Amino acid sequence: DKKEDNEYEDKDIKGIDTYSEELNISGQSGTLKYNIEEVVLKKLTPKTEEAADLLSVSVGEEVNLITIFMNGENTSTEDMSFYLGQATIITNTKEQLEPDMILSEHIEGDYLGQVKQEGYNVYVLKNSKVEDLKNIEIRINAPINSKMEDQGENIIQKFINSNQIEVIPINTSSFSEIPILPTSISGTLCIAPSELYEGFFVAKLRK
């Protein structure tokens, strides 16, 4: 469901959510499941010095933000690390952004056995406005085990006007004797690390 222009105001801040959409983009990398639940585009204007300091701007200066809600789940009893809270985004306005750790709700990156973690990342646009956004790409590093070894594939997901590249399915039956990990993208292949293989991801793409 898409929603637009939800306005709100209190003594410290005035805001408007210009766009929100429930995405529910689910996938799996190694033993870690993830879900990108929702994206919200908003504008905030601080009315007090305290709020302005929190947003690193002056009183009355508008800030453009992207909020992405996510959760993760470890399906293995092995302790894993999976850092949704450090996900990088790239926008069509040529900005590469890291989460603002003060404004975000921390997503715990350590999964001690079969646990779930959730929260949201807030990204502050520096050189563009939310109305300029046509698509957002999010990149999340592959899960790692206690030996700091990758246990899946790096994750790349696009939303808001995506689907510009077609994935050509790979016939995995030809790899029946090779250890394969689940992938988050249908039709792709992820070879598990072993004594014979370092581990790698394969995809056939067509524009």
Side-chain angles (χ1 to χ4, degrees), residues 2 11 19 38 55 77 106 118 151 153 185 195 205:
K2 300 178 182 179
K11 65 181 182 63
Y19 177 94
E38 183 181 7
L55 295 170
T77 56
H106 176 64
E118 62 181 1
Q151 295 299 295
E153 64 187 73
I185 306 173
E195 294 181 357
L205 304 176

Side-chain angles (χ1 to χ4, degrees), residues 61-77:
E61 184 178 349
E62 185 179 80
V63 181
N64 288 253
L65 307 168
I66 302 167
T67 302
I68 301 175
F69 295 81
M70 294 186 283
N71 65 70
E73 178 184 358
N74 186 14
T75 63
S76 170
T77 56

Side-chain angles (χ1 to χ4, degrees), residues 13-53:
I13 207 159
K14 180 179 180 180
I16 178 171
D17 294 348
T18 64
Y19 177 94
S20 66
E21 182 177 1
E22 293 181 6
L23 300 170
N24 288 318
I25 298 173
S26 297
Q28 185 165 343
S29 181
T31 65
L32 270 294
K33 293 181 178 180
Y34 67 89
N35 181 263
I36 304 171
E37 303 169 58
E38 183 181 7
V39 60
V40 181
L41 309 183
K42 63 180 62 184
K43 294 172 177 284
L44 297 180
T45 305
K47 298 165 58 179
T48 63
E49 291 290 348
E50 183 178 4
D53 288 344

Side-chain angles (χ1 to χ4, degrees), residues 54-117:
L54 184 66
L55 295 170
S56 300
V57 294
S58 303
V59 173
E61 184 178 349
E62 185 179 80
V63 181
N64 288 253
L65 307 168
I66 302 167
T67 302
I68 301 175
F69 295 81
M70 294 186 283
N71 65 70
E73 178 184 358
N74 186 14
T75 63
S76 170
T77 56
E78 181 182 3
D79 293 350
M80 303 290 290
S81 295
F82 185 45
Y83 298 108
L84 294 174
Q86 297 178 17
T88 300
I89 66 168
I90 299 99
T91 70
N92 64 285
T93 56
K94 300 183 179 181
E95 293 200 52
Q96 177 178 316
L97 303 171
E98 308 295 330
D100 185 298
M101 295 304 177
I102 296 176
L103 300 176
S104 300
E105 181 181 275
H106 176 64
I107 307 174
E108 176 60 52
D110 293 327
Y111 294 71
L112 306 182
Q114 295 178 321
V115 296
K116 296 180 180 180
Q117 309 288 7

Side-chain angles (χ1 to χ4, degrees), residues 177-203:
E177 297 182 2
I178 297 176
I180 296 175
L181 293 172
T183 68
S184 60
I185 306 173
S186 178
T188 61
L189 181 68
C190 185
I191 306 298
S194 67
E195 294 181 357
L196 299 176
Y197 306 98
E198 291 185 358
F200 53 91
F201 173 71
V202 182

Side-chain angles (χ1 to χ4, degrees), residues 106-175:
H106 176 64
I107 307 174
E108 176 60 52
D110 293 327
Y111 294 71
L112 306 182
Q114 295 178 321
V115 296
K116 296 180 180 180
Q117 309 288 7
E118 62 181 1
Y120 58 82
N121 293 345
V122 176
Y123 302 86
V124 181
L125 288 167
K126 303 183 185 307
N127 303 313
S128 54
K129 298 182 181 296
V130 291
E131 56 264 33
D132 300 325
L133 296 176
K134 294 181 180 178
N135 60 66
I136 298 168
E137 178 178 294
I138 186 167
R139 299 191 181 190
I140 307 164
N141 289 335
I144 55 176
N145 62 14
S146 57
K147 297 179 182 178
M148 304 298 290
E149 299 168 332
D150 285 356
Q151 295 299 295
E153 64 187 73
N154 292 334
I155 296 163
I156 301 176
Q157 291 283 3
K158 273 191 174 183
F159 41 92
I160 307 180
N161 293 342
S162 57
N163 301 322
Q164 297 179 3
I165 295 177
E166 178 186 1
V167 176
I168 308 302
I170 296 172
N171 182 4
T172 58
S173 62
S174 304
F175 302 89

